[in-house]
């Protein structure tokens, strides 16, 4: 709509679009950048505006160039330097509904998304003490990591975190693994099958917990069973003795 209005009024289309993008960007702190580029790959409007005039690699946007919405999995945004996931939307010509004239790319910061969703997840009381949660790209690149393991973000995960090793062909499962420090942990993993409207997003979540802590509820249950069992045995024996004495 902004493009069409600017064309009718004969004003600078790119400048007006950039102003709109800057206002939109300020409203959403989770966005690293928003760019608009033409079919030649030249950025014609953006927020922040530093990237205007730069050329993007069009080979990364083949799906969007043929008219479909596209996700670019976790990667470093060249404008902000942040780890992001990108949503690319094709722009169509007003006179030809299926003619792609450009692309709008919205880059979402994964670190900000992590900070936004963590309180909501904690509110559900699903987290247990000493749990570590990792979000991995399909090839094993770490997109999110718990506090203390932030140095892993942007790197390929260690072998024991690889979804292929933990899940095989399944979409969810768990197993006991030995970590680099030789401490055994219970590792659970779940793999996303992606989204119908956005192809190419197949993330995996891996939850690790030191086996000692993972077994604590079982150990408590064992202690309770033993305690209850001994109490029952003691009570029965006491009644038997009392009956025996009365019989005597």
């Amino acid at each position: 709509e902004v493009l069409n209005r600017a064309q009718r009024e004969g004003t600078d289309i790119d400048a007006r679009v950039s102003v709109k993008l800057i206002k939109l960007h300020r409203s959403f702190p989770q966005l690293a950048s928003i760019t608009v580029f033409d079919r030649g790959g030249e950025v014609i409007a953006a927020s922040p505006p530093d990237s205007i005039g730069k050329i993007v690699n069009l080979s990364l946007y083949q799906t969007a160039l043929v008219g479909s919405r596209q996700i670019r999995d976790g990667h470093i945004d060249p404008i902000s330097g942040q780890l992001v996931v990108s949503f690319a939307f094709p722009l169509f010509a007003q006179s030809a509904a299926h003619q792609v004239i450009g692309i709008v790319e919205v880059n979402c910061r994964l670190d900000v998304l992590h900070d936004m969703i963590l309180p909501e997840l904690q509110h559900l009381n699903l987290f247990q003490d000493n749990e570590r949660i990792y979000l991995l790209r399909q090839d094993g690149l770490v997109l999110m990591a718990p506090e203390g393991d932030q140095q892993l973000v942007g790197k390929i995960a260690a072998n024991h975190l690889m979804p292929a090793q933990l899940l095989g062909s399944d979409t969810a499962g768990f197993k006991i693994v030995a970590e680099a420090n030789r401490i055994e942990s219970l590792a659970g993993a779940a793999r996303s099958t992606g989204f119908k409207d956005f192809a190419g997003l197949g993330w995996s979540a891996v939850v690790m917990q030191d086996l000692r802590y993972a077994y604590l509820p079982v150990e408590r249950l064992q202690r309770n069973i033993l305690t209850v069992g001994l109490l029952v045995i003691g009570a029965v024996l006491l009644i038997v003795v009392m009956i025996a004495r009365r019989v005597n």
Side-chain angles (χ1 to χ4, degrees), residues 12-19 21-22 33-37 41-56 79:
D12 186 341
I13 299 173
D14 301 341
R16 291 193 61 184
V17 173
S18 288
V19 170
L21 295 183
I22 290 170
S33 62
I34 314 172
T35 58
V36 179
F37 50 91
E42 181 181 357
V43 178
I44 58 175
S47 176
D50 311 55
S51 60
I52 294 176
K54 293 182 179 179
I55 304 297
V56 302
I79 299 172

Side-chain angles (χ1 to χ4, degrees), residues 44-173:
I44 58 175
S47 176
D50 311 55
S51 60
I52 294 176
K54 293 182 179 179
I55 304 297
V56 302
N57 182 2
L58 288 177
S59 66
L60 300 173
Y61 304 92
Q62 294 303 311
T63 303
L65 286 171
V66 297
S68 298
R69 291 177 291 183
Q70 178 183 344
I71 275 187
R72 287 185 61 206
D73 215 336
H75 63 280
I76 299 296
D77 175 28
I79 299 172
S80 65
Q82 302 288 339
L83 189 62
V84 299
V85 57
S86 301
F87 299 86
F89 303 88
L91 289 172
F92 299 98
Q94 186 178 19
S95 57
H98 299 291
Q99 180 186 347
V100 178
I101 60 173
I103 293 173
V104 178
E105 183 175 41
V106 181
N107 296 300
C108 298
R109 290 179 54 178
L110 287 169
D111 59 336
V112 177
L113 293 178
H114 176 267
D115 293 340
M116 290 176 65
I117 65 173
L118 193 58
E120 297 297 328
L121 294 176
Q122 290 173 332
H123 183 68
L124 296 174
N125 295 321
L126 296 176
F127 288 98
Q128 298 184 25
D129 293 336
N130 302 288
E131 276 187 349
R132 291 163 285 141
I133 302 176
Y134 303 84
L135 185 65
L136 278 69
R137 200 169 65 182
Q138 200 162 17
D139 61 357
L141 184 82
V142 179
L143 302 175
M144 295 181 185
E147 187 176 351
D149 273 348
Q150 292 298 308
Q151 75 280 1
L152 299 178
V153 175
K155 299 178 182 178
I156 296 297
N159 195 43
H160 66 272
L161 288 176
M162 281 296 188
Q165 176 179 331
L166 295 171
L167 299 176
S169 59
D170 298 329
T171 57

Side-chain angles (χ1 to χ4, degrees), residues 173-209:
F174 64 91
K175 65 189 303 185
I176 296 173
V177 299
E179 300 193 60
N181 53 13
R182 296 185 179 180
I183 293 178
E184 287 190 324
S185 295
L186 182 66
R191 182 185 290 128
S192 167
T193 56
F195 295 90
K196 180 181 177 181
D197 293 338
F198 289 99
L201 190 62
W203 291 353
S204 298
V206 177
V207 181
M208 304 285 292
Q209 188 172 40

